[in-house]
Amino acid sequence: MVAIVMRHFKIYITLFFLTLFVIKSNGQTGNLSLTLQVKDTINKLPKAKDDWFSVVLICTIKNNGNDTIYFVNPEAYKIFPHPWTISINGSDAKFWSGDIRCAPSFTTRDIIKLAPQDTISKQFDWHTFVSNFSQQVGTYKAKVKYNFIGDKTWTMGADKKLLSDLKSNYSNEITFKIVD
C-alpha cells in the first residue's frame, strides 16, 4: 500500500513540475506592457450620418523581457481571433479581423519585431467594424489588451509561426468624448 501511495506521489510531483515548466515557458505574460493614448480627446461626429467616423487611438507597446518578441500589428487583417481587444466603458470587443472574402491578407508586415526593453507606438481606429463601436454622444473610457496563443489562432496569408505567444494586462484607461 505504501509503495502505491509513493508511486502516485512521485507521479503527481512530476506532473506538477512539468506543469510549472510549461506555464513558465509557454508565452511571456507580463513581458508586454501597453500604454494607450487618444489622438483627440474630443471627437466630432460628421454632419452626414453615413460619413465615416472613427476614434484614433495610439498604443505604445514595450517589451519588458530579455528576449525579442514578435507580435501582431493592431491593424492586421485575416488573423482569427484577432489578438487585440478593446474595452469601451467595460464592454470588450476583439479588433476586426476583416472580411474573409475581401480584406487584405495577413502578411509578414503585420508581424512586429520588438527587441528587449524597446518600445514602439502603433496607431489604430475604433470604428464601425468593432462590435462595441458607438456613434452616440457621450464620454467613453477605453483600454486595450493583447493575447496571442498560436495553437488557438489561424491566419489567411503569411504563416503565424514567427509570432510569440504573448499575453498582456490591460493598458491604462483613457477618456474621450464624442460630440455633435
Side-chain angles (χ1 to χ4, degrees), residues 121-149:
S121 292
K122 299 306 285 180
Q123 182 173 300
F124 56 90
D125 290 57
W126 179 53
H127 54 73
T128 192
F129 295 110
V130 179
S131 65
N132 62 3
F133 180 70
S134 174
Q135 289 191 17
Q136 299 298 312
V137 170
T139 301
Y140 294 85
K141 293 180 183 284
K143 56 187 176 180
V144 294
K145 69 178 177 178
Y146 183 87
N147 185 12
F148 177 83
I149 302 169

Side-chain angles (χ1 to χ4, degrees), residues 14-43:
T14 302
L15 289 173
F16 173 75
F17 283 111
L18 282 173
T19 303
L20 285 178
F21 173 75
V22 168
I23 288 171
K24 191 170 184 178
S25 65
N26 186 17
Q28 301 180 18
T29 304
N31 288 349
L32 190 67
S33 60
L34 310 173
T35 305
L36 190 62
Q37 301 170 30
V38 63
K39 185 174 179 185
D40 298 308
T41 54
I42 298 176
N43 297 271

Side-chain angles (χ1 to χ4, degrees), residues 75-154:
E75 291 191 322
Y77 294 113
K78 292 194 178 170
I79 182 161
F80 307 91
H82 206 290
W84 287 92
T85 299
I86 187 165
S87 176
I88 301 291
N89 292 344
S91 173
D92 287 0
K94 292 282 188 188
F95 283 29
W96 189 52
S97 292
D99 185 276
I100 290 176
R101 292 169 285 162
C102 63
S105 292
F106 185 76
T107 69
T108 54
R109 289 185 305 262
D110 294 320
I111 300 172
I112 299 169
K113 178 182 178 181
L114 197 57
Q117 304 306 313
D118 276 357
T119 59
I120 189 169
S121 292
K122 299 306 285 180
Q123 182 173 300
F124 56 90
D125 290 57
W126 179 53
H127 54 73
T128 192
F129 295 110
V130 179
S131 65
N132 62 3
F133 180 70
S134 174
Q135 289 191 17
Q136 299 298 312
V137 170
T139 301
Y140 294 85
K141 293 180 183 284
K143 56 187 176 180
V144 294
K145 69 178 177 178
Y146 183 87
N147 185 12
F148 177 83
I149 302 169
D151 291 344
K152 296 182 179 181
T153 306
W154 61 281

